[in-house]
Each structure stands twice: as structure tokens, then as C-alpha cells.
Amino acid sequence: MAAFTFAHHILLSKPSFILHSTKTLIKPNHVFNTFISVSSPLIRRHKSTQPLASSLLELGGVQISKQDVVKDEPTNNVPDLIFTKLGLQLHRRDNHPLGILKNAIYEYFDSNYNNQFLKFDDLCPIVTTKQNFDDVLVPADHVSRSYNDTYYVDAETVLRCHTSAHQAELLRKGYTSFLVTGDVYRRDSIDSTHYPVFHQMEGVRVFSPNDWNDSGMDGTLYAANDLKACLEGLARHLFGAVEMRWVDTYFPFTNPSFELEIYFQEKWLEVLGCGVMEQEILKRGGKTDNVAWAFGLGLERLAMVLFDIPDIRLFWSTDKRFTSQFTKGQLGTKFKPFSKYPPCYKDMSFWINDSFTENNLCEIVRGVAGDLAEEVQLIDNFTNKKGMTSHCYRITYRSMERSLTDEEINELQWNVRDQVQSQMNIELR
């Protein structure tokens, strides 16, 4: 199902639809590691057992060079910074908060469903636009298809926006109960809960008429009841004996659709989105007589709550003061801040043009400052008598590991100004 919307909605608090991928995992040298990657001819299949050259990555059994991802052509909008995140796979690190959370979810499904759910967590994140959009019924005019929202390798190839990009092929291969976990990529704003790379998990379970014929329910009701029972159990497994409530909602690719909320730390928290899969998706997967449920969740969203991690950038930290705090199998260890370094604020005002988008601005800031950029916030805007609109953005620079000097912050800010003016063709004020 479309993990992209569930994930984006729950993790980023934006109303996009597709399900967060929660499909299942197969061991690293299982044949399925290479079954799904990308059909674009720019990707070379891995045929050698020799070690990879330093300029190559191996993702899902596929060798990829930087030139395969960051290309000098008009349809490519993948920056160098995003390429450096490929292959890091934080969700596969057992001592990392995301890996600990993933494994805790695996434990729940293994123990409650007798190891029926297959697990996939090493599928190549470079997919076709058909896999990413068409196969999960994303409309042709949906905003997620725009270059403002998605990283395009070329006109027909993207960095997956959701793990649901693998759903159709998994269904066609005959899998009926699976979880998919992976890194996903979205051009987005800069603040403590948004990052251009994050991690999703999606779950799918398919039923045949034999499953519901004797239940006194139709297939849709049977699947919906099974889905709710499954996810309520998962919430208790992760959060304990919490109060829960179901909220009816709308997602284009499930019907009916729900959100699960829990009362945790004295407030209601959205945990995941889910629903009964639209029949068209099952038909495209060769399952015309079946019904299925699907759910999606954002690993960062839940891990920030469970581990008390205040800033999404911390997940990418290699500082031992962060990494040493977490241990395999210990869910919910509370993060102890090792220091709070002072922020530095820099404002930038400019006249916007018709092509201006905040996502493009944030890409430039990230490209210059990397993870030293903590937040980009619109603090003022006005339109003059000539109809020209001015925006003023405040950029917060802060390192999570050290104090920044005035000299390096000033240099970053001047570079940001130069890049914004040249790349976005706008007039600074």
C-alpha cells in the first residue's frame, strides 16, 4: 500500500497519504535482497564477489556510483549531501535507536504471528516513478510527484519517498504477510522533527475468502477488525498499558482508513496510519479475490518519543556521547543530553519570485551548512505597493557536538546568501 502518505502524515505531521512501509525482513544474503531495485539502465547489477571500489555503494545487491545518483542533467535534483546518506541504513544497526525499535516491532510480529511475516530491510532505495507513484495509485497531479517534493535521479527514477514503492512487486511475487523497513527521501523543511532522510516501516497482510467465510463478516470488516487487534497489541508492546483511540480518516488508497492514537506522557500521540487496502492495488498485484490491510509508521517519530530524543539530527550523529547511550534490545532508554551548545541566529530577507519555494531554500541551506542548520523559519513577510513580496527567514545554526565560532557562522551565512541569490534568482534585501 502507499506507505508514503501514512509515513509523511504521521512522521512529519503533513496530510500526505501513502502508508509507511512496514514489510518484513530477509537475511542479508537471501536471494530477495536483489529482487527489487530499479529497472533504470543506469544501475549496474552486482555480479562480482570482489570488494566494492571506494567510489561505489552496494544497495540491495546493486552496485551504485555517485554518478548514477547525482547527475548533471535538468531532471536530476539530488544534492551531494543526500548521496552521502545512501547506504548508511540506520535501521539495520542493532545498537541504534532506530534499529532497536525496528527489532522490537519484529519481536511482536514474530511472537504473535508465529513468524508468518517476512521481513525486508535491505531493498534498494532507488526505484522507478512507476514503483514509487503509479503502483500505489498516486494521482498524476499529486503534489508528491513534483521536483519540489521528491528527489529525482532522472525523469523516470527517484529516491523512494516511501517503502510502499516495493509493495506491488512483493504482492506479485506471492507474499501475503510482510514488513518492509527502509530509508526514504523527501525534500522538506528544516526543524527539529524534519529531515530529508527518514525511516519507515510498513506492514501488509492479505486474506483469502477462506479466512472470513465462517466469521459472519464480509472481507472488509474482517480485515479491519484484524488490523485493529494487531496494532493495538503492537502499541501495548511498545508503550505499555496505554489508553488508545481510533480516529476515522481518509487516505486515497485504503478504505476504510484509520489513525491510531495513544495517550502517552499526558497527551494524545498519533502512532500510525492504516486501513483496508483498495482493491485496485490488490488486482494489480494479481490478487483479485482477496482483501488486505496495510499500516505504516515513521521510526523517527516513535523513537523520538520512546528514547526522549529532542532533535531528529541526533539520529545521524557519530559522537560517542550519543551512540554509547543505546544498547541492543533495550527499548526506551532515555537519552541524556551531553551538552546544549548555544544557537546562532542569522536573518535573510529577499524579494521572492513566482518560482520560489521554501523547500528549495532549505535545500540550499542544507547544502552549505549540512547538519549545522537547526531550523529555517519564516519570521516576516509583506507585499509592497508594487505587488512585490518580501520574505524574511531566520536561520538557526547550532552544532549538537561543539560550540560554533562567529567566523565560521558568518562564512556559512555569506555562502548561503550567495547560493540563494545565484541559484534561486532572487533579489536580496
Side-chain angles (χ1 to χ4, degrees), residues 97-118:
L98 299 183
I100 295 168
L101 175 57
K102 181 199 74 172
N103 289 333
I105 298 173
Y106 284 174
E107 291 169 4
Y108 169 78
F109 280 93
D110 288 346
S111 60
N112 288 275
Y113 293 91
N114 197 26
N115 296 306
Q116 294 178 12
F117 278 76
L118 293 176

mmCIF file of all heavy atoms in Angstrom, residues 97-118:
data_model
loop_
_atom_site.group_PDB
_atom_site.id
_atom_site.type_symbol
_atom_site.label_atom_id
_atom_site.label_comp_id
_atom_site.label_asym_id
_atom_site.label_seq_id
_atom_site.Cartn_x
_atom_site.Cartn_y
_atom_site.Cartn_z
ATOM 1 N N PRO A 97 19.003 3.624 18.086
ATOM 2 C CA PRO A 97 17.585 3.697 18.471
ATOM 3 C C PRO A 97 16.624 3.208 17.399
ATOM 4 O O PRO A 97 15.628 2.545 17.713
ATOM 5 C CB PRO A 97 17.376 5.187 18.767
ATOM 6 C CG PRO A 97 18.717 5.675 19.196
ATOM 7 C CD PRO A 97 19.717 4.889 18.385
ATOM 8 N N LEU A 98 16.904 3.503 16.121
ATOM 9 C CA LEU A 98 16.004 3.058 15.058
ATOM 10 C C LEU A 98 16.074 1.545 14.883
ATOM 11 O O LEU A 98 15.054 0.888 14.653
ATOM 12 C CB LEU A 98 16.344 3.761 13.746
ATOM 13 C CG LEU A 98 16.220 5.294 13.759
ATOM 14 C CD1 LEU A 98 16.523 5.858 12.381
ATOM 15 C CD2 LEU A 98 14.840 5.729 14.222
ATOM 16 N N GLY A 99 17.272 0.972 14.987
ATOM 17 C CA GLY A 99 17.403 -0.476 14.895
ATOM 18 C C GLY A 99 16.787 -1.176 16.085
ATOM 19 O O GLY A 99 16.165 -2.244 15.950
ATOM 20 N N ILE A 100 16.936 -0.598 17.263
ATOM 21 C CA ILE A 100 16.334 -1.179 18.464
ATOM 22 C C ILE A 100 14.813 -1.186 18.336
ATOM 23 O O ILE A 100 14.147 -2.186 18.648
ATOM 24 C CB ILE A 100 16.771 -0.387 19.709
ATOM 25 C CG1 ILE A 100 18.288 -0.532 19.930
ATOM 26 C CG2 ILE A 100 16.010 -0.851 20.949
ATOM 27 C CD1 ILE A 100 18.850 0.437 20.963
ATOM 28 N N LEU A 101 14.244 -0.086 17.863
ATOM 29 C CA LEU A 101 12.792 -0.009 17.673
ATOM 30 C C LEU A 101 12.325 -0.989 16.608
ATOM 31 O O LEU A 101 11.327 -1.701 16.798
ATOM 32 C CB LEU A 101 12.397 1.422 17.294
ATOM 33 C CG LEU A 101 10.932 1.649 16.938
ATOM 34 C CD1 LEU A 101 10.005 1.220 18.065
ATOM 35 C CD2 LEU A 101 10.700 3.118 16.572
ATOM 36 N N LYS A 102 13.025 -1.043 15.495
ATOM 37 C CA LYS A 102 12.656 -1.994 14.436
ATOM 38 C C LYS A 102 12.633 -3.412 14.969
ATOM 39 O O LYS A 102 11.679 -4.178 14.725
ATOM 40 C CB LYS A 102 13.653 -1.896 13.279
ATOM 41 C CG LYS A 102 13.342 -2.819 12.104
ATOM 42 C CD LYS A 102 14.559 -3.029 11.211
ATOM 43 C CE LYS A 102 15.572 -3.952 11.865
ATOM 44 N NZ LYS A 102 16.673 -4.317 10.945
ATOM 45 N N ASN A 103 13.664 -3.791 15.702
ATOM 46 C CA ASN A 103 13.740 -5.157 16.217
ATOM 47 C C ASN A 103 12.651 -5.436 17.246
ATOM 48 O O ASN A 103 12.154 -6.565 17.338
ATOM 49 C CB ASN A 103 15.126 -5.406 16.826
ATOM 50 C CG ASN A 103 16.209 -5.486 15.767
ATOM 51 O OD1 ASN A 103 15.957 -5.843 14.621
ATOM 52 N ND2 ASN A 103 17.433 -5.139 16.146
ATOM 53 N N ALA A 104 12.257 -4.417 18.021
ATOM 54 C CA ALA A 104 11.162 -4.598 18.973
ATOM 55 C C ALA A 104 9.850 -4.876 18.246
ATOM 56 O O ALA A 104 9.038 -5.702 18.691
ATOM 57 C CB ALA A 104 11.028 -3.362 19.861
ATOM 58 N N ILE A 105 9.654 -4.215 17.118
ATOM 59 C CA ILE A 105 8.445 -4.474 16.325
ATOM 60 C C ILE A 105 8.509 -5.868 15.715
ATOM 61 O O ILE A 105 7.510 -6.603 15.685
ATOM 62 C CB ILE A 105 8.278 -3.392 15.242
ATOM 63 C CG1 ILE A 105 8.103 -2.018 15.894
ATOM 64 C CG2 ILE A 105 7.089 -3.711 14.339
ATOM 65 C CD1 ILE A 105 8.106 -0.860 14.919
ATOM 66 N N TYR A 106 9.683 -6.255 15.241
ATOM 67 C CA TYR A 106 9.853 -7.610 14.728
ATOM 68 C C TYR A 106 9.495 -8.646 15.795
ATOM 69 O O TYR A 106 8.832 -9.653 15.505
ATOM 70 C CB TYR A 106 11.297 -7.843 14.289
ATOM 71 C CG TYR A 106 11.694 -7.210 12.982
ATOM 72 C CD1 TYR A 106 13.022 -7.249 12.557
ATOM 73 C CD2 TYR A 106 10.766 -6.575 12.167
ATOM 74 C CE1 TYR A 106 13.411 -6.676 11.358
ATOM 75 C CE2 TYR A 106 11.153 -6.005 10.971
ATOM 76 C CZ TYR A 106 12.473 -6.056 10.570
ATOM 77 O OH TYR A 106 12.848 -5.499 9.382
ATOM 78 N N GLU A 107 9.962 -8.414 17.025
ATOM 79 C CA GLU A 107 9.680 -9.356 18.104
ATOM 80 C C GLU A 107 8.181 -9.535 18.300
ATOM 81 O O GLU A 107 7.698 -10.653 18.528
ATOM 82 C CB GLU A 107 10.324 -8.858 19.402
ATOM 83 C CG GLU A 107 11.841 -8.913 19.411
ATOM 84 C CD GLU A 107 12.428 -8.171 20.599
ATOM 85 O OE1 GLU A 107 11.627 -7.692 21.446
ATOM 86 O OE2 GLU A 107 13.666 -8.055 20.668
ATOM 87 N N TYR A 108 7.448 -8.444 18.224
ATOM 88 C CA TYR A 108 5.995 -8.519 18.392
ATOM 89 C C TYR A 108 5.367 -9.385 17.305
ATOM 90 O O TYR A 108 4.557 -10.280 17.602
ATOM 91 C CB TYR A 108 5.382 -7.115 18.362
ATOM 92 C CG TYR A 108 3.872 -7.143 18.275
ATOM 93 C CD1 TYR A 108 3.099 -7.416 19.405
ATOM 94 C CD2 TYR A 108 3.210 -6.919 17.061
ATOM 95 C CE1 TYR A 108 1.710 -7.467 19.328
ATOM 96 C CE2 TYR A 108 1.833 -6.958 16.977
ATOM 97 C CZ TYR A 108 1.084 -7.234 18.109
ATOM 98 O OH TYR A 108 -0.291 -7.294 18.028
ATOM 99 N N PHE A 109 5.738 -9.130 16.054
ATOM 100 C CA PHE A 109 5.138 -9.901 14.970
ATOM 101 C C PHE A 109 5.590 -11.351 14.982
ATOM 102 O O PHE A 109 4.799 -12.265 14.712
ATOM 103 C CB PHE A 109 5.432 -9.237 13.615
ATOM 104 C CG PHE A 109 4.522 -8.087 13.318
ATOM 105 C CD1 PHE A 109 4.879 -6.792 13.655
ATOM 106 C CD2 PHE A 109 3.289 -8.299 12.722
ATOM 107 C CE1 PHE A 109 4.032 -5.737 13.407
ATOM 108 C CE2 PHE A 109 2.425 -7.247 12.458
ATOM 109 C CZ PHE A 109 2.798 -5.952 12.810
ATOM 110 N N ASP A 110 6.847 -11.602 15.299
ATOM 111 C CA ASP A 110 7.330 -12.980 15.346
ATOM 112 C C ASP A 110 6.607 -13.790 16.420
ATOM 113 O O ASP A 110 6.203 -14.933 16.192
ATOM 114 C CB ASP A 110 8.839 -13.009 15.621
ATOM 115 C CG ASP A 110 9.662 -12.557 14.423
ATOM 116 O OD1 ASP A 110 9.095 -12.483 13.312
ATOM 117 O OD2 ASP A 110 10.857 -12.280 14.603
ATOM 118 N N SER A 111 6.424 -13.190 17.601
ATOM 119 C CA SER A 111 5.836 -13.941 18.709
ATOM 120 C C SER A 111 4.329 -14.077 18.597
ATOM 121 O O SER A 111 3.760 -15.075 19.045
ATOM 122 C CB SER A 111 6.198 -13.271 20.041
ATOM 123 O OG SER A 111 5.704 -11.934 20.087
ATOM 124 N N ASN A 112 3.675 -13.093 17.983
ATOM 125 C CA ASN A 112 2.212 -13.124 17.916
ATOM 126 C C ASN A 112 1.676 -13.725 16.623
ATOM 127 O O ASN A 112 0.498 -14.073 16.562
ATOM 128 C CB ASN A 112 1.652 -11.713 18.101
ATOM 129 C CG ASN A 112 1.773 -11.214 19.524
ATOM 130 O OD1 ASN A 112 0.917 -11.486 20.355
ATOM 131 N ND2 ASN A 112 2.858 -10.501 19.811
ATOM 132 N N TYR A 113 2.520 -13.848 15.616
ATOM 133 C CA TYR A 113 2.064 -14.388 14.330
ATOM 134 C C TYR A 113 2.933 -15.548 13.866
ATOM 135 O O TYR A 113 2.973 -15.863 12.676
ATOM 136 C CB TYR A 113 2.029 -13.271 13.276
ATOM 137 C CG TYR A 113 0.958 -12.242 13.586
ATOM 138 C CD1 TYR A 113 1.250 -11.123 14.360
ATOM 139 C CD2 TYR A 113 -0.350 -12.414 13.146
ATOM 140 C CE1 TYR A 113 0.276 -10.197 14.677
ATOM 141 C CE2 TYR A 113 -1.337 -11.488 13.445
ATOM 142 C CZ TYR A 113 -1.025 -10.387 14.222
ATOM 143 O OH TYR A 113 -1.998 -9.467 14.538
ATOM 144 N N ASN A 114 3.612 -16.177 14.840
ATOM 145 C CA ASN A 114 4.333 -17.418 14.567
ATOM 146 C C ASN A 114 5.272 -17.286 13.370
ATOM 147 O O ASN A 114 5.341 -18.169 12.510
ATOM 148 C CB ASN A 114 3.344 -18.579 14.346
ATOM 149 C CG ASN A 114 3.998 -19.942 14.464
ATOM 150 O OD1 ASN A 114 5.009 -20.075 15.153
ATOM 151 N ND2 ASN A 114 3.437 -20.931 13.794
ATOM 152 N N ASN A 115 5.977 -16.163 13.303
ATOM 153 C CA ASN A 115 6.973 -15.923 12.247
ATOM 154 C C ASN A 115 6.386 -15.941 10.835
ATOM 155 O O ASN A 115 7.088 -16.231 9.873
ATOM 156 C CB ASN A 115 8.114 -16.944 12.342
ATOM 157 C CG ASN A 115 8.893 -16.812 13.633
ATOM 158 O OD1 ASN A 115 9.370 -15.744 13.966
ATOM 159 N ND2 ASN A 115 8.997 -17.912 14.372
ATOM 160 N N GLN A 116 5.104 -15.616 10.717
ATOM 161 C CA GLN A 116 4.463 -15.608 9.393
ATOM 162 C C GLN A 116 4.865 -14.390 8.560
ATOM 163 O O GLN A 116 4.820 -14.443 7.330
ATOM 164 C CB GLN A 116 2.938 -15.638 9.550
ATOM 165 C CG GLN A 116 2.392 -16.920 10.152
ATOM 166 C CD GLN A 116 0.892 -16.862 10.331
ATOM 167 O OE1 GLN A 116 0.223 -15.969 9.811
ATOM 168 N NE2 GLN A 116 0.342 -17.815 11.075
ATOM 169 N N PHE A 117 5.222 -13.292 9.219
ATOM 170 C CA PHE A 117 5.534 -12.074 8.483
ATOM 171 C C PHE A 117 6.990 -12.106 8.022
ATOM 172 O O PHE A 117 7.918 -12.147 8.830
ATOM 173 C CB PHE A 117 5.304 -10.837 9.363
ATOM 174 C CG PHE A 117 3.877 -10.401 9.425
ATOM 175 C CD1 PHE A 117 2.961 -11.097 10.207
ATOM 176 C CD2 PHE A 117 3.434 -9.315 8.689
ATOM 177 C CE1 PHE A 117 1.635 -10.703 10.274
ATOM 178 C CE2 PHE A 117 2.105 -8.904 8.740
ATOM 179 C CZ PHE A 117 1.196 -9.609 9.538
ATOM 180 N N LEU A 118 7.179 -12.087 6.720
ATOM 181 C CA LEU A 118 8.518 -11.964 6.163
ATOM 182 C C LEU A 118 8.990 -10.527 6.329
ATOM 183 O O LEU A 118 8.190 -9.591 6.325
ATOM 184 C CB LEU A 118 8.530 -12.359 4.691
ATOM 185 C CG LEU A 118 8.258 -13.839 4.385
ATOM 186 C CD1 LEU A 118 8.210 -14.064 2.892
ATOM 187 C CD2 LEU A 118 9.325 -14.716 5.021
#
